[in-house]
């Protein structure tokens, strides 16, 4: 997009985004977060209060552990020198408490200058005026434009045609594999990477070959009691069929039942409880792969640091294409501008410059496994040298996120409710047809709930 989107002027004296009464605003705040939960421990040197009184840019994120340390490094890199930033970073616990706090601060118009939001949650925040749009001309001035991102990811940054989020990364659901086992199973191409599958039958055969190579199991997948894993796998495979899964406001859901049944049937065949276990939880699948009890495991790329420490000759690849159209389930940590009642133009300019400079530092971020959303970094020789990260970078080109709706997205009840019938099917407790009917019914129930930002 090349048109200019000016920084919004101050909200009306009500101190709330336009078009929302106090009651509707609170209802939105609760719904957008999933539940009003107690906020977890905070760390950092700033208060999450209004940015206008702070000396530096106030930034909220949910990055802890290794990711948190990498973000510290990136902030340090952009804070050096004469034109560096004075950043006051606040770290909050990931989950409903983070999204509740973000919604409430934006609703009052006294939010941080910049915050991190999962791109899949944008539809729960932008429509109600809880986020302010980015000025694309300002970003371009600082060297960041639409052409620097894959279309599959960039298309999800918009609400009503206006960009409200700038992606930092793409974090896909992929496959990790033991290169030695995969080589023995005849699954590698001439360059030593995982060869394309191409069909459900080929993927089933790959599982059998890996089981023979390891002497135990072929493909591991932890899904029992997990609130997202089954949905991630289903969403990737369903998108590969070319069918749409949409959640129009007011319902009913638009789902190709035949395609969905085909996918669930394949999932049952793949995890038959013999060649590939069907009853593992997340920790069990991780432990099994690290312990050599399986040749491949389906996980998010964020598990790369843990798997690399195992000493396994580790390979990785985008989720295999088996139904015709390449598609990989992903999400994206993105920067947003939480709504402020009276944003200072100079601070907003600095916020844009900060976002632009941080995404340019995403080679550091890639060391943890995340694919940089900013494609000039992906094109650098230093990124190509990252193993196995560069092996699955093309997942960003075929990224599939949750259907855009206020109740969907990372950590949402929607994902949990989709996972329950899928888990029942994988455990052999229901048929694919019944599982899909329940998924449709659950989606329809959620769509019948009033949209708090309509």
């Amino acid at each position: 997009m090349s048109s200019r989107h000016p920084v919004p002027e101050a909200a009306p004296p009500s101190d709330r985004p336009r078009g929302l009464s106090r009651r509707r605003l609170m209802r939105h705040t609760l719904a957008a977060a999933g539940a009003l939960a107690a906020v977890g421990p905070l760390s950092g040197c700033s208060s999450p209060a209004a940015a206008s009184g702070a000396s530096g840019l106030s930034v909220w994120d949910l990055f802890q552990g290794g990711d948190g340390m990498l973000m510290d490094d990136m902030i340090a890199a952009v804070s050096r020198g004469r034109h560096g930033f004075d950043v006051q970073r606040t770290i909050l616990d990931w989950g409903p408490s983070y999204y509740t706090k973000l919604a409430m601060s934006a609703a009052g118009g006294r939010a941080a200058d910049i915050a991190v939001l999962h791109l899949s949650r944008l539809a729960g925040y932008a429509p109600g005026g809880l986020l302010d749009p980015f000025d694309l001309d300002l970003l371009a001035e600082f060297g960041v434009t639409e052409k620097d991102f894959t279309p599959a990811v960039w298309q999800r940054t918009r609400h009503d045609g206006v960009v409200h989020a700038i992606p930092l990364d793409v974090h896909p659901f992929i496959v990790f594999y033991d290169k030695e086992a995969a080589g023995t199973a005849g699954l590698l191409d001439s360059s030593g990477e995982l060869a394309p599958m191409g069909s459900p039958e080929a993927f089933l055969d790959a599982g059998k070959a890996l089981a023979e190579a390891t002497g135990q199991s072929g493909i591991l997948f932890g899904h029992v009691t997990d609130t997202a894993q089954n949905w991630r796998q289903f969403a990737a495979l369903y998108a590969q069929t070319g069918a749409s899964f949409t959640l129009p406001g007011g319902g009913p859901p638009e789902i190709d039942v035949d395609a969905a049944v085909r996918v669930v049937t394949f999932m049952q065949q793949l995890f038959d409880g013999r060649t590939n276990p069907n009853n593992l939880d997340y920790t069990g699948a991780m432990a099994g792969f690290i312990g050599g009890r399986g040749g491949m495991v389906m996980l998010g790329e964020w598990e790369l640091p843990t798997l690399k420490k195992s000493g396994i000759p580790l390979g990785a690849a985008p989720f295999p294409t088996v139904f015709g159209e390449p598609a990989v389930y992903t999400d994206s940590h993105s920067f947003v501008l939480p709504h402020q009642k009276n944003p200072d133009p100079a601070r907003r300019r600095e916020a844009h410059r900060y976002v632009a400079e941080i995404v340019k530092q995403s080679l550091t971020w890639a060391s943890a496994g995340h694919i940089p959303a900013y494609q000039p970094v992906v094109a650098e020789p230093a990124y190509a040298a990252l193993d196995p990260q560069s092996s699955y970078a093309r997942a960003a080109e075929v990224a599939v996120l949750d259907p855009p709706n206020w109740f969907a997205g990372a950590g949402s009840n929607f994902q949990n409710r989709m996972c329950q019938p899928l888990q029942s099917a994988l455990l052999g407790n229901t048929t694919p047809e019944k599982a899909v009917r329940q998924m449709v019914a659950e989606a329809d129930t959620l769509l019948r709930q009033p949209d708090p930002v309509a």
Side-chain angles (χ1 to χ4, degrees):
M1 293 177 66
S2 60
S3 59
R4 185 177 181 84
H5 301 294
V7 173
E9 297 179 355
S14 63
D15 199 26
R16 297 189 297 271
R18 293 174 175 86
L20 292 179
S21 67
R22 185 178 184 84
R23 178 176 295 178
R24 290 182 66 227
L25 184 60
M26 181 56 70
R27 200 167 74 228
H28 167 71
T29 299
L30 295 175
L36 183 57
V39 176
L42 304 181
S43 64
C45 58
S46 73
S47 163
S52 58
S55 60
L57 286 174
S58 57
V59 179
W60 280 14
D61 67 51
L62 37 71
F63 302 128
Q64 303 186 36
D67 281 353
M69 290 187 284
L70 289 176
M71 183 53 66
D72 282 339
D73 291 343
M74 293 162 69
I75 291 173
V78 302
S79 298
R80 301 187 188 107
R82 178 180 176 185
H83 300 293
F85 298 93
D86 176 11
V87 178
Q88 298 185 335
R89 181 183 177 208
T90 300
I91 307 169
L92 294 93
D93 283 342
W94 141 249
S97 62
Y98 177 81
Y99 283 110
T100 298
K101 191 68 175 177
L102 177 60
M104 293 182 69
S105 65
R110 295 175 59 81
D113 292 303
I114 304 156
V116 168
L117 180 92
H118 283 87
L119 199 54
S120 62
R121 299 295 294 255
L122 188 68
Y125 286 77
L130 296 178
L131 304 177
D132 293 335
F134 278 90
D135 182 330
L136 298 188
D137 286 350
L138 262 184
L139 283 173
E141 182 181 335
F142 300 128
V144 173
T145 66
E146 175 180 351
K147 66 179 177 62
D148 296 321
F149 302 86
T150 67
V153 175
W154 187 259
Q155 68 178 345
R156 291 298 298 269
T157 66
R158 298 186 180 98
H159 168 65
D160 282 348
V162 179
V163 172
H164 284 76
I166 302 300
L168 169 64
D169 64 32
V170 180
H171 46 272
F173 182 68
I174 63 173
V175 294
F176 292 99
Y177 58 93
D178 182 319
K179 285 189 173 183
E180 290 184 0
T184 301
L187 301 179
L188 303 182
D189 61 19
S190 58
S191 63
E193 301 291 334
L194 190 68
M197 300 293 177
S199 70
E201 294 75 21
F203 206 175
L204 295 173
D205 288 343
K208 294 173 184 176
L210 285 169
E212 185 175 343
T214 64
Q216 298 193 60
S217 296
I219 301 171
L220 305 179
F221 175 54
H223 70 98
V224 176
T225 71
D226 194 273
T227 59
Q229 282 285 87
N230 277 313
W231 169 249
R232 290 167 179 151
Q233 185 183 95
F234 172 87
L237 290 167
Y238 181 86
Q240 290 180 9
T241 69
S244 63
F245 191 118
T246 56
L247 301 171
E254 297 175 1
I255 302 170
D256 186 324
V257 171
D258 291 339
V261 169
R262 184 184 177 199
V263 167
V264 180
T265 299
F266 170 69
M267 290 170 66
Q268 279 189 332
Q269 293 170 340
L270 184 62
F271 298 102
D272 58 2
R274 298 183 297 276
T275 302
N276 309 313
N278 66 345
N279 60 351
L280 297 177
D281 62 13
Y282 194 95
T283 303
M286 285 274 290
F289 181 70
I290 291 172
R293 297 188 296 277
M296 179 182 290
V297 65
M298 297 177 172
L299 293 167
E301 52 74 24
W302 49 88
E303 300 295 354
L304 177 62
T306 299
L307 297 181
K308 290 192 78 168
K309 292 177 183 177
S310 69
I312 293 171
L314 190 65
F319 195 87
T321 302
V322 298
F323 282 121
E325 296 190 16
V328 178
Y329 179 82
T330 68
D331 209 332
S332 169
H333 294 115
S334 300
F335 292 111
V336 294
L337 303 173
H339 173 70
Q340 292 186 2
K341 175 186 175 182
N342 190 21
D344 176 77
R347 291 184 69 82
R348 271 291 160 91
R349 180 179 176 85
E350 279 296 275
H352 282 69
R353 186 169 75 90
Y354 173 83
V355 169
E357 293 304 315
I358 282 288
V359 299
K360 294 174 186 177
Q361 293 291 323
S362 52
L363 182 63
T364 298
W365 197 238
S367 65
H370 316 303
I371 303 171
Y374 185 67
Q375 292 299 290
V377 170
V378 175
E380 292 179 10
Y383 182 79
L386 291 178
D387 181 28
Q389 289 94 315
S390 58
S391 299
Y392 55 82
R394 62 187 182 278
E397 300 172 8
V398 291
V400 175
L401 282 72
D402 277 14
N405 198 292
W406 65 270
F407 56 73
S412 66
N413 189 38
F414 167 75
Q415 292 186 348
N416 184 35
R417 291 171 76 159
M418 293 297 102
C419 280
Q420 291 174 17
L422 289 168
Q423 174 181 284
S424 184
L426 285 194
L427 292 175
N429 297 329
T430 192
T431 65
E433 292 79 9
K434 289 182 179 179
V436 170
R437 284 202 298 270
Q438 186 179 345
M439 292 172 71
V440 173
E442 294 285 356
D444 190 54
T445 297
L446 289 169
L447 284 167
R448 292 178 186 274
Q449 297 178 6
D451 182 346
V453 298

